[in-house]
Structures are given as structure tokens and as C-alpha cells.
Amino acid sequence: MKKDTLLSVSELKTYFFMESGAVPSVHGVSFEVKQGETVAIVGESGCGKSVTSLSIMGLVSSPGKIVGGDIRFHGQDLTTISEKEYRKLRGNDLSMIFQEPLTSLNPLFTIGSQLDEVILLHQQVTKEEARQKGIEMLKKVGIPRAEQVYRSYPHQLSGGMRQRVMIAMALACEPKLLIADEPTTALDVTIQAQILQLMRKLVKDNNTAIMLITHDLGVVAEMADTVIVMYAGQVVEQADVFTLFAAPAHPYTQGLLASTPKIQTIEEELQSIEGTVPTQETMPKGCRFFPRCPHASEQCVQNQPSLLKIGGGQLVRCWLFDAKEAASG
Amino acid sequence: MQTDTTMASPAERSRRIRSNRLLTWSRRLLRSKTGTVGFILVLAVLFLAAFADVLATHNPNEVNPALMLKPPAWLEGGSSQHLLGTDHLGRDIWSRMVYGSRISLLVGVTAVVFAGLIGVAVGIVAGFYGGWLDRVFMRLVDAFLSIPNILLALVILSVFGPGVWTLIFVLGVTNWVNYARLVRGEVLSMKEREFVKAARAIGVKNRMVMVRHLLPNVMSPFIVISTLSVATTIILEASLSFLGLGIQPPDISWGGILSDGRDYVATSWWLATFPGIAITLTVLGIIFLGDWLRDVLDPRGQNRR
């Protein structure tokens, strides 16, 4: 059964215009999210994951700007709609959960009034109905004593509780797409598992698609259907979750997987990828990963590889595969 | 704090909540010593201003050359007729102070509110939008800051002529820059906080983000600065009155009485001392009250105080 495409991002370019010049934070990123599907975007800090998600939400703020490409949501190009139309989408069809549950709630208002805000903004309901709905949402995300929490201030709740509240807010209007920017990074491991489980359940119930931004491959393995690996503002590999973990194609993906501790191979020393993500000044002319790549060749230094299909829906941006294909074909 | 309100009717419930609230607030006030002192002082000044007609023993502008520079009642030569003595024109100081409280409070509070409104609005808009708007506003602030307050006040007052409302305008115009700078700084750090991003991510309008999410969060530093400012405003009003451009007779202000008494400080100390004490106590009261308000308005502090 083929599911309908919900979100399609093509050749998205988001640049930050600094005094020293334009910094291409997202440089030609394309991908699709189907209805009810969970797509994980992984990569190191600074590789453009968060900027991609903010671009989709239309929340890139100055000096950042979307300079090219389009974002189609339900066939509607989000890069061309007005701010007013965007506001109608945000919180309604498009929702986002941020990394820091501790600062994502306004410290001066009760949980209830913040929950009501999003409901009243997008639904034609009375205050009392909004309150009912708010409490119902809190119960849905597994918060005990929902009525009491509804009246509490953010500082009275723990981090895990606050993240549940954020999820309740994000899902209050039954969005079609939920963007979760490192939703569990700030939480401890047991709470992480609970939050992930909760997200998975809610998503299944409502057929909501998730775009999960993370650098935690454990979370990816648990949640994702499709994985997109980003490096220095580009997609370097895309595959379904089983393929990616079983047969990572791009050296960067292999590096990421090798740098994740595995319980079976406890005696082995943990691998790390040498070096850091290049900055604007040090951005290589050829493949962006070659300075850190164990397989780098002359070709990698000179020319940038393009994103290649290597079968089974797997895409990879690496000369190794181009060479192989050329040899076999 | 929470009683069982689930079974009551909505009207009953809201009544109970309201009386509960009053109780909670008064309990919170009593728990803070400085808050209580501030509250009493401010209440006392308000009482003076409100019941000036009843409390004054004489017409404050009644000149009586026969009773010039009489000391307060408890000193030798004082009379029970003039509780705090008389000034160089034989006017009753107590009565003048009671009436003076009206204008001093009016000027002090109104000027601060006026300056606060401009300053907070400019600060939030400049900080939130940034870019050229921010640059224009902040250069304007710099321009205002580079002109000495008193000079600017003198220029405006001599152009428009002295008067209570001109004075309020002048004090407001010279003071708003402080709020603008303070609020802008707060907004700059606040808007990077995730709840502001989160508010925008659920589709809240920019205007609502500013009013609902930024404004309340910049209120606590604002309250602190503005209460301190009421103090400096009362004093600035006094210095302008002293220069002859403040409150004009027959209107009376504490600053005016104070400057009238300046020439007689060596011989008749009571002329300048009593208005001085009144200004000090009022300012102290407002600062204490402001401090307490800041503490209770912040929900994070509720468990402590």
C-alpha cells in the first residue's frame, strides 16, 4: 500500500547572512515524509538539522533566510504563503516540540493557560471546552492528577512532566506533522524511553507523521521508519531504518554507527570520527566529508558527489558508490 | 490554599476564590516585614492626599506676616496652632505638606507611568523585531542620554511654560530611555528562550507574543526600576521647582516647600526638614512595596514567601 506524501522538501537552501558573508546552513536538502511515517534526521551538531526543521515551520529568524527550494505540505508550497496563513498551520497541522522542556514553557503562566492558548487559537471552542480538552490532553500524555497539573506553574513540574506537557500542547490540535527537535536529549534515560513510547502511541492513534531530529542513534532505531543522515547542510544518506543499521553506505554513517556503544562488543574501544564539521571558511571544494573520511581519494578532493540511488530506496552521496557502479555497469 | 471547590456552583466558586485571593495576598504581605512597612507608608501618604481638606488645619496659602518662622509646636516659641511651625511667610507647614502630597504623588507616579509606557513599548518592539527598527530606536535613546536630563527639562519647560502637566510630560520624556534600554536588554535574552519560539511554533501572532509572553517576563526588573524612579522623579521635580520651573504657586509640592526652606536651613531647620522627611519616607515606602510586589508577582517565588 502506498501512503500519501504529506511533506516534500526539495532543494531547500537556508542561508544565514552574517557580516562575514552568507553561511549556507542548509544546502540543497530534499526529502519526503509520508502520512503517519516517522522520519529521523540525524547528524552532528551544526550540520543543519535544526535549521531544516525551523525552515519547515517558517520560523527561521533574521539573519537566516530561505533562499531556494520549496517545501510542499499537502501540496501547498509553504515558502510562498503569507505569515497569516502560516500561523493558521502552526500548532494546528504543523506542530513542533523543542529540545529544552525546561525553558519551553512560559514560567509566568500556569500549564493550563498555556495549553488553552493553543486550543483557543486554532479551534472554535469556549474557554470551558478548552479547559476540558486541555485536561483530557494531559491525561492522554500520561500525567497523573491532570487537574492539579493543569493549575500548576512550570517550575513545579519535573523535566519529564514538562516534556509531556509540551507533547500535549503539540498534539492538542491533532497535527498531521509533528516536528520533534531532540525531544529527549535533556531527559534522563528512563524518562526518555517513556516519552518515546508515548510519542509512538499517540502517533499511531492519530496517524500523525513525525520528523524526528536527533543525534541519538538509539532513539532512531526505536522510532524511525526512514532515516536521513545530514552532514554540513546536505543529505549524505537516506535509507529505511533496517537498511541503514544493517548496511550503512556512507563513511559518515558508518562512523556515526561505530561511535555508538554496543552492548555486545563491550571490550572494544569506542570509535570516534576524527575532526569536526567544517565551517564556512574550511568548507571543502569537493566532498564535504573528505577531510574526515578514511576512504578519501583524489576525486573526493576535487569534485562533489551527487546523491545516488543504490537500490532498495537507499540514497548515498559518495564517490565510492559511483566508482563501484561504474565498475559493475 | 486550595479548598474543595469542585462541588460548589460557579458563582459560589468564584466568590470563594476571590475572598481566598484577598486572604492569600494579605497573608503574603504580612509575611514580609519590609512589604508591610512599605504598604503602611504608601497607604499613609495616599491617606494624606485623599483627605487633605480635612487634615489641613489652615489654608495652605494663607500668608500671616505676624507669625513668620514659628518653630514646631513642641519647641520653645511654637504654638499648638501650627503643629510643624510656619515658613518665612507665616504659612502653616503641616497644611502645606498635606496639600503638597497631592501634587508630589501625582507628578511622581504619573511621570513614571508615562515614561514607563513609552520605554517599555519601545524596548519590547526594538528588542523583538531587531534590525533597523532596533538601531533607530537605540540611537534615539543614545541621543536622549547624551543630553543632561535637567537641561532637556529646562528647555522644554521654558518653551511650554511651567505647569503640572508640562512637568509630568518633561519628566516622562527625560526618563523613558532608561526603561527602553532595560526592557530591550531583557527582551533580547528572553526572545532566545524556547518558550518564545514555542509560542510562535503554535501559531501565536507577533503582537500576542510580545504582550503575553514578553511583557509579563520583563515586568519584574521594570517594577524595581520604576519604584526607584518614583523617588528620583520626586527629587527631580524638587530641583526643577527649586530652579523656579517646577510647580508654580499657588500649587504646592514637597519639592517646592523644600526649596522655599533652603534659605532658612541655618536658622529655621523645620522648613526644609519636614518635606525632606516626607519625601524620604514616601520613597522608602514605594521602594519597599515595589520590592515585595516583584517577589510575589513571580510565581517561582510563591513557595518561599
Side-chain angles (χ1 to χ4, degrees):
Chain A
M1 189 186 79
K2 198 171 175 292
K3 285 179 187 166
D4 289 339
T5 301
L6 180 66
L7 173 83
S8 106
V9 175
S10 70
E11 285 303 310
L12 177 69
K13 289 191 174 89
T14 305
Y15 290 8
F16 280 78
F17 294 92
M18 313 303 281
E19 272 163 34
S20 54
V23 178
S25 188
V26 174
H27 194 84
V29 165
S30 308
F31 63 91
E32 276 185 1
V33 180
K34 293 188 178 66
Q35 259 161 25
E37 183 189 36
T38 299
V39 173
I41 300 189
V42 293
E44 280 166 287
S45 308
C47 64
K49 296 170 296 180
S50 289
V51 177
T52 305
S53 62
L54 289 175
S55 301
I56 294 168
M57 291 298 288
L59 289 177
V60 178
S61 54
S62 174
K65 201 168 182 279
I66 296 176
V67 293
D70 56 40
I71 301 164
R72 291 192 174 275
F73 182 70
H74 266 304
Q76 186 183 24
D77 187 356
L78 297 185
T79 54
T80 58
I81 66 173
S82 72
E83 178 61 25
K84 202 175 153 199
E85 287 171 290
Y86 230 131
R87 272 204 303 270
K88 275 193 204 141
L89 284 178
R90 283 187 208 130
N92 201 8
D93 286 345
L94 265 178
S95 250
M96 185 158 179
I97 306 174
F98 290 89
Q99 192 169 356
E100 285 288 337
L102 301 183
T103 57
S104 291
L105 291 162
N106 191 330
L108 298 183
F109 292 104
T110 58
I111 301 301
S113 80
Q114 302 189 49
L115 206 49
D116 288 354
E117 188 178 21
V118 61
I119 297 169
L120 290 170
L121 211 54
H122 296 292
Q123 294 178 4
Q124 301 292 325
V125 292
T126 64
K127 280 202 167 162
E128 182 54 34
E129 284 166 341
R131 199 181 77 90
Q132 298 289 352
K133 170 100 192 180
I135 292 175
E136 185 197 318
M137 282 312 296
L138 289 178
K139 283 183 182 153
K140 238 187 204 171
V141 296
I143 289 179
R145 291 171 291 118
E147 280 91 358
Q148 196 186 328
V149 168
Y150 185 85
R151 282 195 303 265
S152 307
Y153 285 95
H155 71 277
Q156 295 167 322
L157 304 180
S158 67
M161 279 296 186
R162 281 188 239 185
Q163 194 61 300
R164 281 170 198 260
V165 171
M166 288 310 294
I167 293 174
M169 279 174 75
L171 296 180
C173 294
E174 287 156 19
K176 300 203 170 64
L177 177 67
L178 174 67
I179 300 177
D181 189 354
E182 312 222 1
T184 56
T185 308
L187 305 172
D188 66 58
V189 187
T190 45
I191 306 296
Q192 262 187 29
Q194 288 174 13
I195 296 281
L196 291 177
Q197 214 165 30
L198 173 73
M199 282 174 61
R200 217 162 33 185
K201 179 179 167 292
L202 294 173
V203 161
K204 218 168 132 193
D205 292 351
N206 298 329
N207 200 29
T208 305
I210 301 189
M211 201 178 122
L212 182 72
I213 316 277
T214 185
H215 54 240
D216 185 339
L217 288 167
V219 172
V220 173
E222 191 140 332
M223 297 281 295
D225 299 316
T226 304
V227 187
I228 291 165
V229 183
M230 279 185 75
Y231 185 77
Q234 291 179 326
V235 174
V236 294
E237 180 162 1
Q238 178 177 343
D240 69 82
V241 67
F242 301 108
T243 315
L244 189 100
F245 279 90
H250 198 279
Y252 179 60
T253 317
Q254 291 163 359
L256 279 182
L257 286 171
S259 60
T260 311
K262 285 168 218 65
I263 201 116
Q264 301 93 327
T265 52
I266 205 155
E267 69 280 5
E268 224 175 276
E269 201 179 317
L270 204 54
Q271 301 278 313
S272 70
I273 308 175
E274 292 291 320
T276 52
V277 180
T279 61
Q280 177 58 10
E281 287 81 44
T282 59
M283 193 62 76
K285 184 172 131 228
C287 172
R288 297 192 164 187
F289 187 61
F290 95 80
R292 302 170 71 185
C293 183
H295 311 291
S297 67
E298 188 54 32
Q299 194 178 22
C300 306
V301 181
Q302 292 305 324
N303 301 307
Q304 218 179 83
S306 49
L307 206 55
L308 283 175
K309 266 204 177 82
I310 55 166
Q314 194 171 12
L315 299 174
V316 66
R317 189 189 291 277
C318 182
W319 285 121
L320 286 175
F321 292 88
D322 206 28
K324 264 186 213 163
E325 221 138 285
S328 65
Chain B
M1 210 173 116
Q2 273 146 12
T3 50
D4 179 35
T5 53
T6 43
M7 296 307 286
S9 71
E12 170 70 2
R13 187 163 40 169
S14 68
R15 195 194 58 79
R16 253 197 244 169
I17 288 172
R18 226 174 299 138
S19 68
N20 243 352
R21 240 180 235 165
L22 198 67
L23 206 73
T24 330
W25 277 81
S26 44
R27 212 179 285 147
R28 270 193 222 153
L29 181 64
L30 288 174
R31 224 174 296 163
S32 155
K33 283 197 193 86
T34 50
T36 314
V37 171
F39 187 71
I40 290 169
L41 284 172
V42 170
L43 212 61
V45 180
L46 287 175
F47 182 75
L48 279 188
F51 296 101
D53 299 325
V54 185
L55 292 168
T57 50
H58 294 73
N59 177 341
N61 285 318
E62 186 187 282
V63 176
N64 191 344
L67 293 169
M68 267 168 32
L69 302 173
K70 284 282 178 212
W74 61 89
L75 289 178
E76 207 176 317
S79 86
S80 59
Q81 280 288 302
H82 299 284
L83 192 60
L84 299 180
T86 60
D87 69 0
H88 58 295
L89 296 174
R91 296 176 292 194
D92 182 55
I93 292 186
W94 164 249
S95 306
R96 287 180 70 72
M97 279 183 48
V98 168
Y99 275 101
S101 67
R102 288 187 169 175
I103 288 189
S104 287
L105 271 190
L106 176 75
V107 170
V109 173
T110 321
V112 165
V113 169
F114 178 52
L117 285 179
I118 305 178
V120 170
V122 168
I124 288 189
V125 169
F128 184 74
Y129 286 109
W132 66 269
L133 205 64
D134 184 36
R135 283 197 288 275
V136 167
F137 276 134
M138 286 304 115
R139 290 303 78 77
L140 192 67
V141 165
D142 290 344
F144 266 92
L145 281 176
S146 64
I147 307 169
N149 273 357
I150 203 107
L151 189 69
L152 188 66
L154 281 178
V155 171
I156 300 176
L157 280 171
S158 39
V159 171
F160 293 103
V164 174
W165 291 104
T166 336
L167 192 68
I168 289 170
F169 173 73
V170 163
L171 294 172
V173 161
T174 51
N175 264 325
W176 69 272
V177 287
N178 299 325
Y179 302 107
R181 281 175 70 92
L182 172 92
V183 168
R184 172 184 173 266
E186 284 288 312
V187 168
L188 282 185
S189 78
M190 203 64 71
K191 80 169 175 182
E192 294 307 318
R193 300 267 292 277
E194 299 213 300
F195 70 83
V196 175
K197 271 197 240 160
R200 298 186 62 209
I202 60 169
V204 180
K205 286 182 190 165
N206 280 344
R207 195 158 18 106
M208 281 304 287
V209 171
M210 286 190 272
V211 172
R212 205 180 124 85
H213 293 278
L214 292 175
L215 185 65
N217 276 293
V218 298
M219 278 325 270
S220 54
F222 171 74
I223 288 172
V224 175
I225 299 291
S226 59
T227 50
L228 287 171
S229 229
V230 171
T232 49
T233 307
I234 289 177
I235 291 161
L236 191 61
E237 179 264 313
S239 23
L240 285 170
S241 297
F242 172 75
L243 289 169
L245 284 166
I247 301 300
Q248 301 296 306
D251 286 340
I252 309 159
S253 75
W254 288 344
I257 309 174
L258 190 72
S259 51
D260 281 347
R262 180 189 51 107
D263 294 337
Y264 306 93
V265 167
T267 51
S268 314
W269 54 266
W270 55 89
L271 262 64
T273 308
F274 294 120
I277 292 174
I279 292 176
T280 312
L281 288 181
T282 309
V283 165
L284 206 63
I286 294 174
I287 290 175
F288 280 171
L289 195 65
D291 235 16
W292 170 77
L293 260 183
R294 185 206 48 191
D295 289 341
V296 295
L297 287 182
D298 188 344
R300 282 162 294 196
Q302 269 176 20
N303 300 332
R304 275 187 289 116
R305 278 170 197 263

